[in-house]
Amino acid sequence: MGGVTSLLMLLCLFAGAMSPVKGEDPYFFFTWNVTYGTLSPAGVPQQVILINNEFPGPNINSTSNNNIVVNVFNNLDEPLLFHWAGVQQRKNSWEDGVAGTNCPIQPGTNYTYHFQVKDQIGSFFYYPSLGLQRAAGGFGGLRINSRLLIPVPYADPEDDYTVLAGDWFTKSHSTLRKLLDGGRSLGRPQAVLLNGQNAKGDGTDKPLFTMIPGKTYKYRICNVGLKNTINFRIQNHPMKLVEMEGSHTVQNTYNSLDVHLGQCFGVLVTANQEPKDYYMVASTRFTKSILTGKGIMRYTTGKAPPSPEIPEAPVGWAWSLNQFRSFRWNLTASAARPNPQGSYHYGQVNITRTVKFINSVSRDSGKLRYAINGVSHVDGETPIKLAEYFGVPEKVFKYDIISDNPSQDVGKNVVLQPNVIRFKHRTFIEIIFENPEKSVQSYHLNGYAFFAVAIEPGTWTPEKRKNYNLLDAVSRHTMPVFPKSWAAILLSFDNVGVWNLRSELAENRYLGQQLYISVLTPERSLRDEYNIPEYALLCGVVKGLPKPEPYH
Ligand SMILES: *[C@@H]1O[C@H](CO)[C@@H](O)[C@H](O)[C@H]1NC(C)=O
Ligand SMILES: *[C@@H]1O[C@H](CO)[C@@H](O)[C@H](O)[C@H]1NC(C)=O
Ligand SMILES: *[C@@H]1O[C@H](CO)[C@@H](O)[C@H](O)[C@H]1NC(C)=O
Ligand SMILES: *[C@@H]1O[C@H](CO)[C@@H](O)[C@H](O)[C@H]1NC(C)=O
Ligand SMILES: *[C@@H]1O[C@H](CO)[C@@H](O)[C@H](O)[C@H]1NC(C)=O
């Protein structure tokens, strides 16, 4: 298995704190050189995307309210954007790094992201968001620690480890992209990797992590794959769940966790077993043939290799649904702010609007497309956010072309168009995801966390509201929807900007299963949204247009 970074020259990665201006939150600066490299993570040489010669990319370690500045040098041969999944970018969709908000960083140029991890804690990851580049790597962990003054509902772990697991294809991202552009499917992945590796089990594997006997460690586990839910487990070591996508959870113990695409969990693991090596295992779920990836967790005093016996994974999605229902918000724990998470009583807020999103797949004239409410989104040359800001939306897209309450057969006649839906600022919204397909969905919303109040088999009706968890549903950013099932989320649209809602299945997203949510205020006030950065890249129809009056 490729030496990953060891043989490659490490480039400067500067992550020191600059002395902050008094009263301002500290700044952390990163310089990223993004290049191609050749590695064999799944046994055969292939092109991968490296950040400062690392695969996966470096972890970003931060604390609530830190300012993060990342100067990205695009040394690929194609446009690049980084998306910071789960970072809410309060008032700041300017830095969200998706096709609908930002012009891409052109090859041979650099661009600097500036954002604040405001009022958030938790485990997240970043990745290149364009053109299926995530299939080649370029992703890395992004953690937001609690500020010192705010109590964390568990003892300080001995160390803090990030596990980026996911399915993996041995074809290059450009080959995979050609398949999709030709209307075909990605097909099946070839491997499951943990932090870019899969242990061979022949005695030559290096450990991914080491633990001192008796100590407790935090592991942050994210599914960075393209296609499959994974089940994650560690030989002989149960996991105590403490955090999920930015929320402290009730601390249940699990032998294994289903991690859907785009999700992250924070768990505590205690080194209380016979000191030797143990496998961490990630295997694909809901697939006919199961792919398994392994990584080694080593005790510092360990002398023996891991047992070849891999703990069994659960079967079927009912198990996964039950596990979803066991997740609870810890109402008394404080997250990024001193007040307890549960002091926001989301279950008592009146719903102002209900929107149902039905996903569908179509093969018109043999070409594969995916849609939401009958619209298969296409990205244009001009980002939605910029067209809106410069006052020329009509040149790029039409608002509100889908219905809030589509008919069940809305997927029959799919149109290809930019899909942009407006929500009034500060309204409290109920979104129902209906999945009539046989595959498991995973939806992600940028710019927000929402309350994941229910998932049930069948179709939704208003009477189902009585089954919602209106007390302690976890506030998170990614929602699975099981086959022929529905899921409901509640949230307040209090973050002005343009925000991507998408299927985390890479093929579905690439072929149109995504849309943009526009939350506007007429005031153009700095209270609601930051000004467009001076250095923002402009492209498409907004290039050369006069800049609108700044907000005040
Ligand atoms: C980035 O890496 C490439 C390949 O190693 C190198 O040629 C280039 O000089 C580097 N650029 C910067 C800005 O460090
Ligand atoms: C990460 O940041 C926290 C505080 O922000 C610090 O305590 C910790 O040492 C850092 N860890 C690493 C590995 O840099
Ligand atoms: C590009 O990088 C240089 C430093 O090498 C920096 O001064 C400049 O501001 C960067 N440009 C952009 C657009 O971020
Ligand atoms: C919830 O958080 C509180 C406050 O930090 C903590 O004392 C308690 O143990 C947590 N409860 C559970 C069930 O995890
Ligand atoms: C919610 O709606 C009910 C019935 O229309 C009304 O009585 C109640 O005051 C509303 N609650 C809030 C918090 O606005």
Side-chain angles (χ1 to χ4, degrees):
M1 224 57 29
V4 185
T5 59
S6 53
L7 298 175
L8 301 163
M9 191 186 78
L10 264 163
L11 277 137
C12 75
L13 165 75
F14 173 53
M18 206 180 70
S19 58
V21 180
K22 198 166 183 274
E24 214 186 339
D25 292 299
Y27 279 77
F28 287 84
F29 295 91
F30 301 86
T31 302
W32 284 1
N33 189 2
V34 184
T35 60
Y36 291 124
T38 304
L39 292 175
S40 307
V44 289
Q46 67 182 111
Q47 186 187 59
V48 295
I49 292 177
L50 306 172
I51 300 176
N52 297 344
N53 279 338
E54 290 184 55
F55 171 82
N59 281 320
I60 293 184
N61 182 18
S62 69
T63 297
S64 306
N65 299 349
N66 284 171
N67 293 291
I68 308 289
V69 181
V70 191
N71 189 354
V72 175
F73 288 79
N74 177 8
N75 285 310
L76 308 180
D77 58 357
E78 49 188 54
L80 172 70
L81 283 176
F82 277 103
H83 173 58
W84 324 92
V87 173
Q88 284 174 25
Q89 308 287 9
R90 303 292 308 171
K91 310 182 190 178
N92 198 12
S93 61
W94 308 116
E95 305 282 351
D96 209 29
V98 289
T101 57
N102 295 81
C103 298
I105 310 167
Q106 293 302 328
T109 70
N110 69 306
Y111 174 80
T112 309
Y113 290 91
H114 298 71
F115 59 89
Q116 191 179 15
V117 289
K118 183 85 183 140
D119 291 336
Q120 284 191 269
I121 58 115
S123 310
F124 309 98
F125 66 96
Y126 64 81
Y127 63 91
S129 67
L130 299 179
L132 228 56
Q133 286 165 355
R134 179 161 146 190
F139 45 73
L142 195 165
R143 69 176 73 142
I144 312 177
N145 301 294
S146 281
R147 286 179 287 160
L148 277 180
L149 293 172
I150 296 181
V152 173
Y154 47 90
D156 249 2
E158 178 68 17
D159 211 338
D160 194 326
Y161 295 137
T162 297
V163 186
L164 302 176
D167 53 25
W168 184 261
F169 291 76
T170 50
K171 291 191 179 86
S172 72
H173 74 283
S174 49
T175 303
L176 292 172
R177 194 165 62 205
K178 273 185 212 125
L179 284 175
L180 299 186
D181 289 339
R184 282 181 291 160
S185 156
L186 289 179
R188 274 187 250 162
Q190 282 70 50
V192 170
L193 303 182
L194 289 86
N195 288 355
Q197 305 175 43
N198 179 15
K200 287 212 251 348
D202 61 1
T204 63
D205 301 308
K206 292 218 169 63
L208 289 179
F209 307 105
T210 54
M211 306 208 291
I212 300 167
K215 302 286 187 190
T216 296
Y217 292 78
K218 183 163 185 185
Y219 284 91
R220 303 172 189 256
I221 305 142
C222 300
N223 183 346
V224 297
L226 301 189
K227 192 155 183 154
N228 297 121
T229 298
I230 53 168
N231 181 267
F232 182 86
R233 52 210 186 270
I234 310 173
Q235 285 178 324
N236 297 33
H237 291 76
M239 301 173 279
K240 189 194 265 188
L241 182 69
V242 293
E243 183 253 328
M244 182 186 297
E245 296 163 34
S247 282
H248 291 308
T249 59
V250 165
Q251 296 173 7
N252 299 323
T253 298
Y254 297 89
N255 286 322
S256 78
L257 284 165
D258 268 358
V259 193
H260 299 284
L261 289 164
Q263 295 190 327
C264 294
F265 291 102
V267 301
L268 298 180
V269 175
T270 301
N272 57 7
Q273 297 293 303
E274 187 196 330
K276 60 185 203 77
D277 287 359
Y278 294 89
Y279 279 130
M280 314 186 121
V281 182
S283 58
T284 56
R285 289 276 274 136
F286 323 122
T287 52
K288 280 207 192 79
S289 60
I290 295 170
L291 286 170
T292 302
K294 302 191 294 285
I296 289 178
M297 192 180 87
R298 175 164 294 172
Y299 279 52
T300 50
T301 54
K303 302 235 160 35
S307 150
E309 261 165 62
I310 300 301
E312 268 187 42
V315 178
W317 57 264
W319 186 94
S320 201
L321 174 59
N322 282 335
Q323 182 165 78
F324 168 87
R325 288 182 175 151
S326 73
F327 299 144
R328 292 280 191 272
W329 218 24
N330 182 336
L331 298 175
T332 56
S334 304
R337 285 171 169 277
N339 55 323
Q341 291 180 142
S343 45
Y344 180 62
H345 299 285
Y346 69 92
Q348 292 167 25
V349 186
N350 287 338
I351 293 165
T352 38
R353 180 174 164 193
T354 298
V355 184
K356 194 194 281 179
F357 291 134
I358 303 181
N359 54 264
S360 64
V361 56
S362 57
R363 288 177 183 279
D364 261 359
S365 55
K367 284 208 160 194
L368 189 60
R369 286 302 296 191
Y370 295 89
I372 297 174
N373 291 5
V375 176
S376 187
H377 174 83
V378 282
D379 289 317
E381 206 198 329
T382 316
I384 309 278
K385 175 70 193 166
L386 298 183
E388 184 177 80
Y389 177 75
F390 279 85
V392 290
E394 72 287 349
K395 290 195 177 157
V396 176
F397 64 91
K398 279 204 196 77
Y399 285 112
D400 305 318
I401 56 173
I402 57 171
S403 158
D404 279 7
N405 189 14
S407 66
Q408 292 307 121
D409 64 355
V410 68
K412 283 242 170 76
N413 295 305
V414 167
V415 296
L416 272 66
Q417 252 179 284
N419 195 357
V420 186
I421 168 169
R422 273 180 293 198
F423 285 94
K424 272 211 179 100
H425 189 212
R426 297 214 175 90
T427 49
F428 196 73
I429 305 296
E430 174 187 45
I431 295 178
I432 315 297
F433 295 107
E434 260 184 33
N435 177 16
E437 306 295 320
K438 282 182 290 189
S439 50
V440 174
Q441 266 291 357
S442 182
Y443 280 105
H444 176 97
L445 174 62
N446 292 1
Y448 289 94
F450 50 69
F451 295 95
V453 293
I455 310 184
E456 286 191 7
T459 52
W460 181 85
T461 57
E463 295 75 60
K464 305 280 186 186
R465 288 187 182 127
K466 65 178 188 307
N467 302 343
Y468 286 4
N469 177 353
L470 293 180
L471 180 70
D472 58 358
V474 179
S475 167
R476 53 194 303 183
H477 56 62
T478 301
M479 187 68 169
V481 196
F482 297 99
K484 307 212 181 290
S485 300
W486 58 270
I489 63 170
L490 299 176
L491 78 158
S492 169
F493 273 109
D494 58 1
N495 192 15
V496 169
V498 165
W499 306 106
N500 189 224
L501 173 77
R502 60 176 171 274
S503 170
E504 279 290 315
L505 284 82
E507 170 175 310
N508 299 39
R509 178 194 187 179
Y510 187 87
L511 294 176
Q513 206 155 67
Q514 56 174 323
L515 52 78
Y516 284 89
I517 284 173
S518 166
V519 181
L520 274 174
T521 52
E523 288 87 5
R524 296 176 78 89
S525 157
L526 282 173
R527 199 191 51 219
D528 297 329
E529 188 175 30
Y530 296 149
N531 267 315
I532 186 170
E534 280 296 316
Y535 52 84
L537 300 174
L538 301 180
C539 55
V541 302
V542 302
K543 200 170 180 173
L545 287 187
K547 280 237 172 110
E549 278 289 296
Y551 300 161
H552 39 255

